[in-house]
Amino acid sequence: MNTASVLAQGNRTGFVITVFAVFVVGVVLISLLDASETDTPRRFFVSGRRLSSSRNGIALFGDFISAATLLGTPGLIALAGFDGIPYLLGPIVAWAVILLLIAEPFHNTGRYTVGDVLAHRLRPRPVHMALGLATLVISLFYLTAQLVGAGSLAAPLLGISGVVAQNFLMLFLGVLMIIYVAISGMHGATLVQCFKAAFLLVASAFLALLVLARFGWNPSGLLGAAAARSGVGEHFLAPGARSQGGAADTLDALSLQLGAVLGAAGLPHLLLRMGAVPTARAARRSVQWTAVLTCVFCVTAGVLGFGAAAVVGPQEVMGGNSSGNTATLLLSDSLGGSVLLTVMACVAFATILAVVAGVALAAATSMAHDIYGVVIRKGRATESQEVLVARVSVVLIGSAATALALWASRINVSFAAGLAFSVAASAVLPALLYGLYWRGFTTTGAVWSIYGGLICSVFLAAFSPAVSGTPTALFPDADFAVFPLKYPSIVSIPLAFVLGWLGSVLSRQRPHPAARSSFERRVLVGGDAS
C-alpha cells in the first residue's frame, strides 16, 4: 500500500479541499492584516524585539520541528525499533547545546544575523559576506527539501496524482510562501508558526493517546505488541535489531546524528529568533520553552513509532514507503479512519509551510542585511532600503527554491534536510563558537572556517551515493560517487574547526585587546542592539 492509495481511499475529497483552502486563506489573511507600510528592519526581521519568551519559544518550536521529524522519526522507530530512539534524543541534545552555549551570548551580541555577532571584533565585510553566502546555501537546501516534501504529501492529500500535479502544488506552495513572508515578515511568520505548533502538539498527542488506549494504557503491552509484529521478536527492543549495513552505514548514521545535533545550533532561521525577544533572559526562556515542547513531542513521536509497529506492522509501513515516512498516516487511518488521517496530513502540511516561512525570512534577512547592507552599501543603506531588499529577496529566494524543487523533485527529502543541517554545523557553528569564546580568533580564521566548512560539506555531498551511483540517487544513471557517506558532517565539521584555528594562528592580524574586552562585556551584560 502506498501513500497515494492510503490518502485517496474514502469519500472525503470535498472535506480535504475545504480544510486545505481554509488554511491557505487564513495564512494570506494573517499576512494582510499584519502588513505595514512603515516596516523597519527591526520589525520585519525580528518583530521589533517585542515577542514574549513563551510566544517566541512556541514559534521557535514551530520553526524547528519539520515534516521530516513528524513523519520520518516515527517511521524509523516503526521499522528499526530501539535503533530509532537516537533520532528522538538528537533534537533534545541540540536544544541543550543552544541553551548552554548560544542563546544568551547571541542575543547580547547579535543584531539580526551571525555576521553581526562576529563583526563586533572582526572585520565586518569579509565575515558578513561569508556568512551571507553560507546562509543562502543552507536556506536553499532546506527550502528545496520542504517544498519537495510538501508537493509529494499535498498531491495525494487532495486526491490528485502525477508528476504534473505534484509540480503544480510545489509551485503553488512556493508562491504562497513568498506572499505571506514578503508581506508581514517575522510577525506574520510567528503567528503561522504558533498555530502550527499548537495544531501539531494537540493532534499528535491525541493520536498517541489513542495508541495507548488501544493497549489498555499499558506501555509494556504496546512494546510487546510492537516486538511481536516486528518479525525479529524481542530483538526489536534491543540495539542492532535491523542493522544490515557495514561500517559505512554505521558511520553514515553517526554523521547524520552529529550534523543534526550541532547543525540546529547553526541554522540561521533558529538563530534569528534569538533576537526577537527584548532581553537575553527572555532568549534563554524561549529556548527553555522550546526544549520542553520538543521533549513532549519526542515522547509522543516515540509512542507513534511503536504504535505504528504494533498496529500497522513494519511490513505494511515499509510497503507504503521504504523509509517509513507514511507510518504516522497509516496509524491515523487505522485508529481514526479518514477524518483523523486527513487531520494528520493537514498537520504535516502546516508543519512544512511554517518551517519554510522561517527559513525564507532568515535567507532574506541575510541577503538584505549582510550582503546588501554591509558588503554592497558598506553600512550606508537606509532602513527602508533594507526592508525593500528583504522583500525582493524573499521573491528571488522563494523563486529559486521553487525552481530547484521542481528540477530536483526526485531528491530524497531526508537527505536534503540533513545536508542543510550538515552545512550549518560546518560553515556557521564553528565560527560562531570561536567568535564567542576564543580570544585569539581572527578574521582570517573566520573566513577559512566558514568557506572551508561550506565548500567541504557541499563538495562531499555532491560526490556521495545520495547524488549518483544508486537507484534512489538524484542522478541514478550516473556514477561519480567517490565519497562513501551520504552525510559529510563527520568530516566537514572537524575540518571547519581545524581551519578556524589554523587561520587564526597563521594570521598576521592580532585581536585588539580593547575590542576583545568590550566584546566580552557585551557577551555578559548585553548592549544596545538596536
Side-chain angles (χ1 to χ4, degrees):
M1 184 181 296
N2 56 35
T3 310
S5 63
V6 169
L7 292 174
Q9 62 182 336
N11 184 20
R12 65 178 187 284
T13 303
F15 172 70
V16 173
I17 292 178
T18 301
V19 172
F20 186 83
V22 167
F23 181 79
V24 169
V25 172
V27 166
V28 175
L29 286 178
I30 288 173
S31 305
L32 292 175
L33 291 173
D34 189 64
S36 172
E37 296 180 358
T38 59
D39 266 345
T40 63
R42 186 181 176 108
R43 184 183 186 279
F44 190 83
F45 298 153
V46 292
S47 203
R49 285 181 174 256
R50 295 178 179 177
L51 294 180
S52 66
S53 56
S54 58
R55 187 177 178 188
N56 192 54
I58 294 170
L60 194 56
F61 171 77
D63 252 338
F64 178 67
I65 298 298
S66 67
T69 309
L70 172 63
L71 301 178
T73 303
L76 285 171
I77 294 173
L79 297 179
F82 182 89
D83 290 340
I85 297 297
Y87 293 90
L88 293 178
L89 300 179
I92 299 172
V93 176
W95 284 114
V97 172
I98 296 173
L99 179 64
L100 295 174
L101 299 177
I102 304 295
E104 289 189 77
F106 189 92
H107 184 280
N108 282 336
T109 57
R111 189 182 182 193
Y112 307 125
T113 66
V114 182
D116 293 326
V117 174
L118 300 184
H120 282 294
R121 49 184 296 249
L122 306 178
R123 285 186 287 130
R125 294 184 72 195
V127 296
H128 275 285
M129 186 67 193
L131 286 165
L133 292 176
T135 297
L136 291 178
V137 172
I138 294 166
S139 300
L140 284 175
F141 281 135
Y142 213 169
L143 286 172
T144 300
Q146 297 299 317
L147 289 173
V148 171
S152 60
L153 174 68
L157 171 64
L158 295 175
I160 57 179
S161 60
V163 176
V164 175
Q166 182 173 329
N167 288 344
F168 173 78
L169 281 169
M170 281 191 285
L171 179 63
F172 171 76
L173 295 171
V175 172
L176 178 62
M177 169 192 69
I178 290 169
I179 290 173
Y180 83 86
V181 176
I183 291 175
S184 59
M186 169 74 80
H187 198 67
T190 298
L191 294 175
V192 174
Q193 285 149 358
C194 288
F195 165 76
K196 166 258 176 133
F199 195 18
L200 169 67
L201 287 171
V202 170
S204 58
F206 178 74
L207 182 58
L209 291 175
L210 289 181
V211 171
L212 293 174
R214 177 75 172 263
F215 295 94
W217 305 99
N218 183 0
S220 296
L222 168 62
L223 295 176
R229 293 202 64 176
S230 67
V232 295
E234 294 298 324
H235 294 292
F236 187 70
L237 306 179
R242 296 188 182 277
S243 178
Q244 299 177 346
D249 290 326
T250 302
L251 282 176
D252 217 1
L254 177 61
S255 186
L256 173 61
Q257 285 297 308
L258 183 64
V261 170
L262 298 181
L267 285 175
H269 67 290
L270 300 184
L271 293 173
L272 184 64
R273 282 212 164 269
M274 298 301 158
V277 288
T279 65
R281 185 179 183 184
R284 184 180 72 248
R285 287 182 174 176
S286 293
V287 176
Q288 290 171 342
W289 269 89
T290 307
V292 170
L293 293 176
T294 302
C295 289
V296 172
F297 175 76
C298 286
V299 171
T300 301
V303 174
L304 297 183
F306 285 110
V311 176
V312 181
Q315 291 73 27
E316 189 170 346
V317 169
M318 187 174 291
N321 180 275
S322 60
S323 299
N325 290 335
T326 60
T328 302
L329 302 177
L330 290 166
L331 179 64
S332 303
D333 186 63
S334 296
L335 296 180
S338 60
V339 173
L340 185 57
L341 171 61
T342 301
V343 169
M344 290 306 299
C346 288
V347 168
F349 175 74
T351 297
I352 292 170
L353 191 57
V355 170
V356 299
V359 176
L361 180 62
T365 300
S366 189
M367 177 74 82
H369 182 68
D370 288 329
I371 296 178
Y372 176 78
V374 176
V375 177
I376 297 177
R377 293 300 306 274
K378 301 179 182 179
R380 294 192 295 267
T382 65
E383 289 189 343
S384 60
Q385 287 174 334
E386 280 202 15
V387 172
L388 176 61
V389 171
R391 286 190 162 121
V392 172
S393 298
V394 171
V395 177
L396 295 177
I397 294 165
S399 300
T402 304
L404 281 174
L406 293 172
W407 173 73
S409 57
R410 278 182 47 87
I411 196 170
N412 183 286
V413 175
S414 298
F415 166 71
L419 181 57
F421 275 81
S422 179
V423 176
S426 305
V428 177
L429 184 62
L432 178 59
L433 292 179
Y434 275 144
L436 289 173
Y437 296 107
W438 183 27
R439 281 177 170 267
F441 195 47
T442 66
T443 302
T444 301
V447 172
W448 284 23
S449 176
I450 296 166
Y451 285 126
L454 176 64
I455 293 171
C456 178
S457 56
V458 173
F459 179 83
L460 293 181
F463 290 92
S464 74
V467 175
S468 70
T470 61
T472 58
L474 182 59
F475 301 107
D477 298 328
D479 189 0
F480 45 85
V482 296
F483 183 65
L485 306 181
K486 294 180 181 179
Y487 302 99
S489 305
I490 200 167
V491 174
S492 58
I493 295 174
L495 177 65
F497 275 106
V498 170
L499 289 174
W501 169 81
L502 187 63
S504 298
V505 170
L506 298 179
S507 173
R508 296 181 179 179
Q509 171 199 6
R510 294 294 99 191
H512 195 282
R516 177 61 203 181
S517 297
S518 175
F519 179 76
E520 288 177 342
R521 284 194 300 271
R522 191 181 183 100
V523 168
L524 294 174
V525 301
D528 181 16
S530 61

